[in-house]
C-alpha cells in the first residue's frame, strides 16, 4: 500500500498500458482518475472492484479547454492531485509514410499533438495544484524509439520526434519544478503488446521484423505490461523520492545491441 489515498491522474487509461498503470496504482492504495478520449468506464469499474475510488473522465487532451475541465473535475471529485502519468499518445491509427519526402503535414501535427502537446498541457494545468501542496509525482511516457531509431517501418519520424520531445520536456521541468517538491521522471519502454492496436501492429510486422526485435534484446523476449507498471509505481511512490529528471529505460537491454 505504498500509495494509500494518493490521487492519481492517468491519461490514455481506457485500455492498454494506461489501464495497467491505473490498476497497479490502485492496488497500491491509490485513488484514480481514468482519463482518455475514449470511454474509460471499464477501467474505472475494474478499479472499483479492487475497493478503490475511481472516476472515468472523457476528454480530448489536445484541447486546452478540455484539459482544464478535466483537471477541475478531478479536483472536485478527489480534492487534490498527487500523481500525474502522461501516457496518452501513440503512433496513430492511419498508415503513415516513414520517408521524410512523403510525410503528411496533417499526420505530423496529429502525432505531435497527441503525444507531446497533451503531455505539456496536462502538466501545465496540474502543476498549480501540486505547487500549492509542495509535492507531486509526474511520470511522462516516451519510447525506446526516442533513444535511437525505429526498429520497424510502422514507427514514423513524427512519432520519434514527439517522444524525443517528451524526454527533453521531462528534464527541463524536473529542474524547474524540483524546488516545489515535484519529481518529474520519464518511462522509456520498448514495444509492448498491451491491447488490440499493438497486437495488430505486431501481427502486421514481417517475421524478420519480429525476430530482429526479440534477438536484439538480451533478455530475448518482449516485456509484459505489468513489468512496465511496476516501474511506474516505483516512480510515483516515496521509494523514488530522490529521483528526478531521470529517463528510465525498460527495454530488456535492447539499447546495448
Amino acid at each position: 500500500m505504498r500509495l494509500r489515498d494518493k490521487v492519481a491522474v492517468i491519461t490514455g487509461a481506457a485500455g492498454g498500458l494506461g489501464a495497467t498503470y491505473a490498476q497497479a496504482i490502485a492496488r497500491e492504495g491509490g485513488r484514480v482518475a481514468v482519463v482518455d478520449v475514449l470511454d474509460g468506464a471499464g477501467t474505472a469499474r475494474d478499479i472499483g472492484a479492487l475497493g478503490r475510488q475511481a472516476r472515468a473522465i472523457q476528454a480530448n487532451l489536445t484541447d486546452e479547454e478540455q484539459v482544464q475541465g478535466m483537471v477541475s473535475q478531478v479536483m472536485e471529485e478527489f480534492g487534490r492531485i498527487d500523481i500525474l502519468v502522461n501516457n496518452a499518445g501513440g503512433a496513430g491509427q492511419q498508415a503513415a509514410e516513414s520517408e521524410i519526402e512523403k510525410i503528411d503535414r496533417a499526420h505530423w501535427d496529429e502525432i505531435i499533438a497527441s503525444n507531446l502537446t497533451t503531455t505539456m498541457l496536462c502538466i501545465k494545468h496540474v502543476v498549480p495544484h501540486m505547487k500549492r501542496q509542495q509535492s507531486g509525482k509526474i511520470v511522462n511516457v516516451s519510447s525506446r524509439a526516442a533513444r535511437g531509431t525505429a526498429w520497424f517501418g510502422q514507427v514514423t519520424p513524427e512519432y520519434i520526434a514527439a517522444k524525443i520531445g517528451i524526454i527533453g520536456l521531462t528534464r527541463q521541468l524536473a529542474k524547474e519544478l524540483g524546488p516545489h517538491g515535484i519529481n518529474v521522471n520519464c518511462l522509456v519502454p520498448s514495444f509492448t503488446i498491451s491491447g488490440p492496436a499493438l497486437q495488430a501492429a505486431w501481427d502486421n510486422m514481417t517475421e524478420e521484423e519480429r525476430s530482429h526485435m526479440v534477438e536484439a534484446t538480451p533478455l530475448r523476449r518482449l516485456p509484459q505490461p505489468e513489468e512496465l507498471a511496476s516501474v511506474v509505481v516505483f516512480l510515483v511512490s516515496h521509494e523514488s523520492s530522490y529521483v528526478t529528471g531521470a529517463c528510465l529505460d525498460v527495454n530488456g537491454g535492447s539499447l546495448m545491441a
Side-chain angles (χ1 to χ4, degrees):
M1 303 297 286
R2 288 173 286 176
L3 303 174
R4 185 185 299 275
D5 294 329
K6 297 292 186 182
V7 176
V9 175
I10 318 295
T11 72
L17 283 172
T20 303
Y21 301 154
Q23 291 164 13
I25 287 170
R27 282 193 292 272
E28 291 287 344
R31 300 184 287 157
V32 183
V34 176
V35 180
D36 205 301
V37 70
L38 304 174
D39 184 0
T43 302
R45 283 194 297 271
D46 290 341
I47 292 170
L50 297 171
R52 304 286 177 258
Q53 182 183 3
R55 179 175 178 179
I57 301 175
Q58 200 162 355
N60 177 355
L61 300 178
T62 65
D63 182 326
E64 187 161 7
E65 288 188 4
Q66 292 193 43
V67 173
Q68 289 177 290
M70 175 274 289
V71 172
S72 294
Q73 289 181 65
V74 173
M75 291 301 296
E76 181 179 350
E77 175 84 13
F78 298 96
R80 61 186 292 121
I81 299 173
D82 301 291
I83 295 163
L84 170 63
V85 179
N86 283 305
N87 173 70
Q93 300 300 313
Q94 69 183 72
E97 293 287 350
S98 60
E99 296 180 23
I100 188 66
E101 303 98 317
K102 299 178 181 178
I103 288 177
D104 177 70
R105 173 59 189 275
H107 190 262
W108 172 278
D109 290 346
E110 174 194 341
I111 298 306
I112 297 296
S114 65
N115 289 276
L116 182 55
T117 305
T118 58
T119 298
M120 179 276 293
L121 288 174
C122 288
I123 296 172
K124 175 182 177 180
H125 291 286
V126 164
V127 154
H129 302 287
M130 291 183 170
K131 282 184 174 180
R132 281 196 290 273
Q133 299 162 188
Q134 285 294 291
S135 66
K137 296 276 192 169
I138 298 172
V139 176
N140 301 320
V141 179
S142 182
S143 167
R144 182 198 179 281
R147 294 295 208 186
T149 57
W151 278 18
F152 56 97
Q154 296 173 52
V155 176
T156 60
E158 50 263 54
Y159 178 76
I160 295 172
K163 292 302 189 180
I164 290 173
I166 287 171
I167 290 175
L169 185 66
T170 296
R171 289 173 172 163
Q172 179 61 29
L173 294 182
K175 181 178 181 180
E176 177 183 331
L177 299 175
H180 300 280
I182 301 169
N183 302 65
V184 187
N185 293 294
C186 188
L187 180 73
V188 189
S190 55
F191 183 88
T192 310
I193 299 175
S194 56
L198 287 167
Q199 181 65 61
W202 177 256
D203 294 341
N204 288 333
M205 290 182 202
T206 66
E207 186 61 38
E208 182 180 3
E209 286 175 329
R210 288 194 290 265
S211 296
H212 171 70
M213 188 175 289
V214 173
E215 290 169 7
T217 303
L219 291 180
R220 293 296 191 273
R221 62 178 178 83
L222 299 182
Q224 295 297 313
E226 292 74 18
E227 292 177 299
L228 303 182
S230 65
V231 178
V232 171
V233 169
F234 165 72
L235 289 174
V236 302
S237 73
H238 183 70
E239 293 173 355
S240 63
S241 58
Y242 203 62
V243 179
T244 197
C247 294
L248 189 52
D249 295 297
V250 188
N251 56 50
S254 61
L255 285 175
M256 298 187 295

